[in-house]
Amino acid sequence: MSASAGIARRMAWQADGALAQLAVARRAQILCALEEEALSTAELAQLVGISDRRARVHARELEKLRVLERVHLAGRHHRVGWRLNAAGHGLLALYRLVGGCERRLGLTPVEDTQPRLLAPLRFLTARMIIWALTGGPLTLASLERQLPEVPHTTLQHAVERLGEVGVLDTEENGAGKLFGLADGARGPIALVATAGVGWRLRFAPDRPPFVAGNLAGLISLLAPALRVRSCVQGVCLMQSTSDPGRPAAGGTPRWPAAHVSVLRGRLSALPHGAAEPPHAQMRAGDLRWCEALVGGDHSLVEIDGDHELAGAVLAAIAAALHG
């Protein structure tokens, strides 16, 4: 096995830093407790219902992620405390976005538990499975061939967990069980993925996500849910440029350009590009793409050419992401 293959194999079942932290109930509770004001370790422990020692351990882990800061609490008996910084507030917003996406999937919230989507999505394996299924249902054997770096039992377990939270549908055919993405899950999953990448690019540029982003992949993931007026048609080029005043994130290559075909009310990514020049071009930095798609501020995207076509593509993506 090559060194790069070995790294990929090890990373296949590692948990993502941000989502992994949110999946620890006590750490998410600490983020929520610190939303309005800085608190001491003792105050955190009392609010969360754990010992001072455990509260300190969780706070230090969040400090390593650079979402908490130590501060002096003037006029308090405990003079050293913790507060959320901008990255912490951003992570808390991501946590609530995951909860909203869970509700869109029709999952019934269970009191005092984390959003159930966090359990599978924090693992890279689950996200690899989702991307592998964007083009259509596959058997477990076909998934194994597409993801040879993932052990069989790990893959099987991840598929089961994704099915439990409504991300995957299962159907029987002559070849056995087919696993496919649930149509209603595509928007919520894409929204979580885009928001998560945006958080990493903004607050941890030196620790970029293992898969930084893929505009063509996003279109492919959302394709069944993307709709435009049938009178709008053409080819749109989506490009990633450098974000103004911001260096490239940790040497991560910029997202590849995506050619998007708009025809008969449907959108599809053209994996080999277009045979003719695009009718519209859209450009933004990686982070600005995330902000535009998650926040809906399409003014962050520069448009040349057919503005009606580009606007229809952006509006269709926004509708699919936000439901």
Side-chain angles (χ1 to χ4, degrees):
M1 179 186 297
S2 69
S4 60
I7 292 171
R9 187 176 179 85
R10 289 195 299 275
M11 291 196 71
W13 56 88
Q14 284 184 356
D16 175 85
L19 292 181
Q21 295 288 352
L22 292 177
V24 179
R26 299 304 190 190
R27 291 176 193 168
Q29 290 170 356
I30 285 173
L31 291 176
C32 293
L34 291 170
E35 182 176 18
E36 299 296 335
E37 61 177 337
L39 298 170
S40 69
T41 300
E43 290 168 326
L44 280 177
Q46 184 175 14
L47 283 171
V48 177
I50 55 178
S51 68
D52 286 13
R53 186 182 68 82
R54 293 306 303 165
R56 189 173 297 108
V57 168
H58 288 307
R60 285 174 176 169
E61 287 301 311
L62 290 169
E63 183 185 29
K64 289 179 186 177
L65 192 62
R66 302 201 292 264
V67 299
L68 290 195
E69 297 174 349
R70 298 176 195 239
V71 294
H72 290 285
L73 302 174
R76 304 275 194 95
H77 175 66
H78 300 282
R79 296 189 60 82
V80 178
W82 305 92
R83 72 175 175 194
L84 286 186
N85 56 19
H89 284 287
L91 190 59
L92 184 57
L94 178 59
Y95 174 72
R96 288 176 173 153
L97 181 143
V98 174
C101 287
E102 178 173 279
R103 290 189 289 275
R104 285 173 60 188
L105 286 170
L107 297 173
T108 304
V110 179
E111 189 176 357
D112 298 327
T113 64
Q114 301 305 89
R116 282 175 283 171
L117 272 180
L118 283 171
L121 291 186
R122 62 180 168 148
F123 291 106
L124 180 59
T125 297
R127 300 197 295 278
M128 291 166 70
I129 290 169
I130 289 168
W131 289 117
L133 294 175
T134 55
L138 295 171
T139 63
L140 191 61
S142 296
L143 268 175
E144 286 185 291
R145 287 193 291 272
Q146 288 206 26
L147 305 173
E149 65 272 31
V150 183
H152 172 80
T153 52
T154 302
L155 188 69
Q156 187 174 36
H157 180 67
V159 166
E160 291 172 356
R161 295 299 297 274
L162 288 169
E164 289 169 1
V165 295
V167 172
L168 298 188
D169 285 334
T170 306
E171 60 181 88
E172 297 280 353
N173 75 348
K177 283 186 178 180
L178 278 174
F179 300 96
L181 292 177
D183 283 348
R186 290 175 181 262
I189 294 302
L191 183 59
V192 171
T194 305
V197 169
W199 184 89
R200 293 285 287 265
L201 292 174
R202 174 175 287 281
F203 297 112
D206 57 324
R207 294 176 291 175
F210 186 56
V211 180
N214 186 335
L215 292 168
L218 178 67
I219 297 297
S220 296
L221 174 58
L222 293 173
L226 296 174
R227 297 290 185 275
V228 298
R229 290 177 292 117
S230 58
C231 61
V232 178
Q233 61 181 22
V235 173
C236 191
L237 176 62
M238 302 173 71
Q239 294 176 298
S240 177
T241 60
S242 58
D243 285 301
R246 182 175 170 274
T252 301
R254 198 161 290 136
W255 299 356
H259 285 82
V260 180
S261 170
V262 181
L263 185 64
R264 300 187 185 92
R266 306 296 294 269
L267 278 71
S268 60
L270 302 174
H272 305 296
E276 59 185 42
H279 300 89
Q281 290 178 285
M282 295 189 286
R283 290 183 297 272
D286 294 349
L287 177 58
R288 286 201 169 188
W289 271 119
C290 292
E291 293 174 338
L293 297 174
V294 174
D297 184 1
H298 297 162
S299 68
L300 296 171
V301 180
E302 297 178 23
I303 299 174
D304 288 331
D306 189 336
H307 281 248
E308 183 183 9
L309 172 63
V313 169
L314 289 173
I317 295 172
L321 285 176
H322 297 282

